[in-house]
Amino acid sequence: MDTAIAQRPRRKVLVVEDNELNRKLLEVRLEIHGYEALTTSEGAAALDIAREQQPDLILMDIQLPDISGIEAIRRLKADEQTRAIPIIVVSAFAMSYEKAGILASGCEAYITKPFKGEELAALMERYTGRGAPKARGSAERG
Ligand code: MN
């Protein structure tokens, strides 16, 4: 474990996205930017993976086959083992009432599909504090 920390492991990002193409695209984008990608297509599975893998960041879709992304975020933020993990919602939703629900869910940031690659990269850097040591609990809350 100590050795792995000394070698500065890549930041882990959990992608929760049920659309296979979108999931693959995000996975490729993450690899390009030097992150390790974990992926799932289901909200409930995301909760388990987050608890077990403690990713540095979660990219969350809203429309999922089981629980909604909003419900998944509420549960992640209600669980002390996962609440400090920043969550960026990546969604095609644009209606204002939907946006209000997303922002009220407790996520740290929101990006609408389609987005510019640099836009997502900047958000990911901001919320994973790349280059800095992992600092759970002191992360910026927005
Ligand atoms: Mn979806």
Side-chain angles (χ1 to χ4, degrees):
M1 245 338 189
D2 289 339
T3 311
I5 289 166
Q7 288 171 349
R8 288 192 162 206
R10 291 187 300 164
R11 300 283 156 152
K12 265 189 265 185
V13 179
L14 171 59
V15 175
V16 188
E17 166 65 80
D18 62 324
N19 179 285
E20 193 178 351
L21 178 60
N22 287 343
R23 195 168 62 241
K24 275 284 161 203
L25 289 172
L26 281 172
E27 198 176 349
V28 168
R29 207 181 278 285
L30 285 167
E31 298 286 341
I32 287 169
H33 288 284
Y35 297 93
E36 177 185 345
L38 306 171
T39 63
T40 180
S41 60
E42 295 180 2
L47 306 178
D48 294 335
I49 296 169
R51 260 186 236 112
E52 286 161 21
Q53 300 289 320
Q54 292 291 309
D56 298 283
L57 178 70
I58 298 172
L59 299 183
M60 181 72 75
D61 182 26
I62 291 300
Q63 289 184 300
L64 297 168
D66 54 343
I67 60 172
S68 76
I70 289 176
E71 180 58 27
I73 294 167
R74 286 198 191 114
R75 294 190 197 177
L76 286 161
K77 294 302 185 186
D79 183 338
E80 69 175 26
Q81 288 184 69
T82 54
R83 68 165 49 124
I85 304 168
I87 302 172
I88 300 175
V89 168
V90 181
S91 172
F93 278 14
M95 303 291 286
S96 60
Y97 72 94
E98 290 162 331
K99 189 164 182 179
I102 290 166
L103 293 173
S105 69
C107 68
E108 273 68 19
Y110 172 81
I111 189 169
T112 307
K113 289 182 257 189
F115 51 82
K116 286 184 180 150
E118 313 88 80
E119 205 184 334
L120 179 64
L123 269 181
M124 292 196 299
E125 274 180 40
R126 178 173 165 196
Y127 287 103
T128 58
R130 271 185 90 185
K134 209 184 257 193
R136 276 287 144 68
S138 66
E140 183 181 346
R141 305 269 104 180

